[in-house]
């Protein structure tokens, strides 16, 4: 039976490392608070965010400094030195190299990024252009942290149905560019960070190896749980003074609601994935969860009785990189020898929307 198989993985993260101690100099927080609640010790951010944080740490009036950053950028220099499509390009280039596939051999690109380079076109098109491709279709998804799972499912349909042979699936985020790193935004700013991950899917006509099933869900009735209006049409005009003055240009999150919903939905969707395939936890070699926060992961693992040795986590080093987190963890798990040929791997993610899903694959 025709299937889609992962033939290459890749990832990219900015070189600037921000530990919890630097954040503690910008806002009222502590290494202890962040590690206890989230398991995050450090994260990677763009050079622009890093430079801003170093200056914010020294600023006597942090709120005034941050307001100035939002109003004008630093030093009046507003163009970013690193964009989300740059990270997507680096992760994709690594995945293509590892797969032995040239960009021109791709039949389609599926990208998921929460905050793009431009409002439009979305990141997939910008990425496609950076590869010098001029007609390969680029599909752009916006399921936040669940985006990569949705991307895998979309790409898999094209391959299974014989429409495409090779598809690049990417999750890339430059989230540090949207947060308020003062006390006003500390609930979210300590969690999220920048990074990208990618896989190349290729059609195989026989064998056990390949993507097996996907289970996708969304619930758009709890928008206050986790959302951002930025340039959305929630105000007229889309970019309005009102939106900026009311702080509605910044992301918002109800941490408790996200926690409860995430644990519930992870449990449900993993249960459905296992039942559909007549499997138990014992049959799966490795679980890779969206790296939101270690307490969510541990709560899900406890509830489903998944032993610690069957999960792979890197949230401690990268924080929550939203759509990039699952492919980054997948790449690192494979590179570390935690996924061997023939292993059964279950991926699961939950994010804004809310949207959540699980994918099962045989490596
Ligand atoms: N440092 C110190 N204090 C903080 C910080 C911070 N960075 N952020 C918030 N606080 C304060 C709050 O203001 C609040 O203070 P108050 O009680 O005086 O009002 C207090 O800490 C809240 O403390 P707790 O109730 O103990 O916090 P809790 O245990 O609920 O943890 C957290 C908060 C970490 C946000 C938790 O709710 C959580 O993990 N939620 C899930 C959020 C998440 O993972 N989002 C990711 C996006 S979705 C996804 O990827 C799945």
């Amino acid at each position: 039976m025709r299937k889609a198989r992962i033939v290459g993985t890749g990832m990219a993260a900015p070189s600037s490392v921000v530990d919890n101690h630097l954040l503690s100099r910008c806002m009222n927080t502590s290494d202890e608070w962040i590690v206890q609640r989230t398991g995050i010790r450090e994260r990677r951010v763009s050079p622009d965010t890093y430079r801003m944080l170093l200056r914010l740490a020294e600023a006597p009036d942090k709120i005034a400094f941050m307001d100035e950053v939002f109003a004008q950028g630093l030093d009046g220099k507003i163009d970013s030195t690193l964009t989300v499509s740059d990270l997507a390009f680096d992760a994709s280039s690594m995945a293509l190299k590892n797969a032995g596939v040239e960009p021109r051999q791709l039949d389609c690109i599926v990208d998921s990024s929460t905050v793009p380079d431009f409002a439009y076109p979305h990141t997939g098109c910008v990425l496609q252009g950076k590869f010098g491709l001029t007609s390969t279709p680029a599909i752009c998804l916006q399921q936040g942290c669940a985006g990569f799972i949705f991307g895998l499912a979309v790409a898999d349909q094209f391959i299974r149905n014989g429409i495409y042979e090779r598809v690049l699936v990417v999750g890339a985020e430059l989230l540090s560019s949207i947060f308020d790193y003062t006390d006003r935004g500390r609930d979210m700013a300590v969690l999220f960070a920048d990074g990208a991950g990618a896989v190349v899917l290729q059609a195989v006509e026989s064998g056990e190896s390949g993507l097996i099933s996907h289970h996708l869900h969304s619930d758009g009735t709890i928008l206050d749980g986790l959302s951002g209006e930025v340039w959305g049409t929630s105000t007229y005009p889309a970019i309005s003074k009102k939106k900026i003055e009311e702080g509605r240009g910044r992301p918002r999150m109800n941490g408790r609601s996200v926690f409860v919903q995430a644990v519930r939905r992870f449990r449900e969707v993993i249960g459905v994935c296992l039942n559909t395939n007549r499997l138990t936890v014992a049959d799966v070699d490795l679980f890779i969860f969206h790296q939101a926060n270690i307490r969510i992961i541990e709560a899900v693992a406890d509830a489903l009785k998944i032993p610690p040795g069957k999960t792979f986590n890197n949230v401690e080093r990268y924080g929550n990189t939203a759509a990039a987190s699952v492919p980054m963890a997948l790449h690192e798990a494979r590179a570390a020898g935690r996924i061997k040929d023939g292993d059964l791997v279950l991926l699961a993610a939950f994010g804004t929307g809310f949207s959540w899903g699980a994918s099962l694959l045989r490596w």
Side-chain angles (χ1 to χ4, degrees):
M1 198 183 74
R2 187 178 166 94
K3 278 190 198 151
R5 197 177 149 229
I6 296 178
V7 291
T9 64
M11 65 170 274
S15 55
S16 309
V17 180
V18 173
D19 64 15
N20 295 339
H21 300 288
L22 175 54
L23 292 183
S24 310
R25 290 166 53 208
C26 299
M27 62 185 85
N28 243 320
T29 191
S30 67
D31 180 53
E32 193 191 6
W33 194 97
I34 300 170
V35 172
Q36 265 182 10
R37 306 272 194 314
T38 72
I40 302 167
R41 290 185 188 276
E42 60 184 40
R43 74 280 292 142
R44 306 292 186 92
V45 301
S46 74
D48 302 306
T49 302
Y50 189 63
R51 195 164 54 96
M52 186 282 290
L53 286 174
L54 292 180
R55 288 177 56 180
L56 178 62
E58 299 302 323
D61 185 338
K62 308 220 185 286
I63 299 281
F65 179 88
M66 201 72 220
D67 281 343
E68 182 72 12
V69 170
F70 287 141
Q72 291 180 8
L74 282 174
D75 309 324
K77 187 187 86 48
I78 303 203
D79 286 350
S80 301
T81 59
L82 181 80
T83 67
V84 66
S85 67
D86 293 333
L87 284 176
F89 180 79
D90 290 348
S92 302
S93 301
M94 186 192 286
L96 286 163
K97 187 164 174 250
N98 289 338
V101 170
E102 294 293 328
R104 62 181 163 73
Q105 293 177 289
L106 291 172
D107 299 309
C108 181
I109 294 172
V110 182
D111 175 80
S112 180
S113 303
T114 309
V115 183
D117 290 32
F118 302 107
Y120 53 89
H122 207 272
T123 313
C125 291
V126 184
L127 170 65
Q128 191 247 24
K130 286 188 173 171
F131 277 119
L133 302 171
T134 53
S135 70
T136 313
I139 297 171
C140 307
L141 301 176
Q142 254 208 330
Q143 265 72 30
C145 307
F148 181 75
I149 302 279
F150 276 68
L152 272 188
V154 168
D156 193 16
Q157 307 315 308
F158 283 118
I159 291 181
R160 263 174 210 256
N161 292 325
I163 297 167
Y164 296 141
E165 291 294 311
R166 284 178 209 89
V167 182
L168 174 71
V169 185
V170 192
E173 303 284 8
L174 202 91
L175 295 168
S176 73
S177 59
I178 59 171
F179 289 111
D180 183 334
Y181 286 90
T182 67
D183 287 356
R184 287 182 307 204
R186 66 179 178 167
D187 59 333
M188 297 187 77
V190 301
L191 303 177
F192 293 94
D194 305 337
V199 301
V200 177
L201 295 181
Q202 188 159 307
V204 284
E205 299 296 341
S206 60
E208 290 282 296
S209 166
L211 302 185
I212 298 168
S213 71
H214 312 279
H215 310 270
L216 309 178
H217 299 275
S218 297
D219 176 358
T221 63
I222 325 172
L223 296 181
D224 274 356
L226 183 60
S227 57
E229 296 178 66
V230 195
W231 53 74
T233 55
S234 56
T235 56
Y236 182 84
I239 298 170
S240 63
K241 202 164 169 242
K242 174 180 169 67
K243 197 178 270 176
I244 292 163
E245 281 173 0
E246 291 178 0
R248 289 167 57 187
R250 312 253 69 80
R252 60 174 170 247
M253 177 183 80
N254 179 335
R256 295 249 169 108
S257 162
V258 170
F259 197 102
V260 171
Q261 288 286 332
V263 173
R264 175 180 155 208
R265 297 311 197 176
F266 269 121
R267 285 179 62 177
E268 283 173 5
V269 79
I270 292 168
V272 169
C273 181
L274 291 174
N275 288 340
T276 306
N277 292 287
R278 296 168 197 265
L279 297 168
T280 66
V281 164
D283 298 312
V284 178
D285 296 293
L286 193 68
F287 290 83
I288 296 183
F289 296 113
H290 162 48
Q291 300 291 295
N293 132 10
I294 202 71
R295 285 198 317 165
I296 293 179
I297 295 170
E298 285 172 355
V300 176
D302 274 0
L304 294 171
K305 302 198 170 30
I306 300 171
K310 280 202 178 199
T311 59
F312 180 87
N313 298 313
N314 60 12
V315 66
E316 183 183 20
R317 288 176 287 123
Y318 297 112
N320 181 345
T321 56
S325 94
V326 170
M328 283 171 72
L330 190 65
H331 173 78
E332 286 203 332
R334 175 71 177 162
R338 292 287 308 277
I339 304 174
K340 300 185 184 59
D341 290 353
D343 276 0
L344 201 55
V345 181
L346 196 153
L347 313 175
F350 174 94
T352 184
F354 296 116
S355 285
W356 63 100
S359 292
L360 184 73
L361 62 101
R362 173 84 61 188
W363 202 275

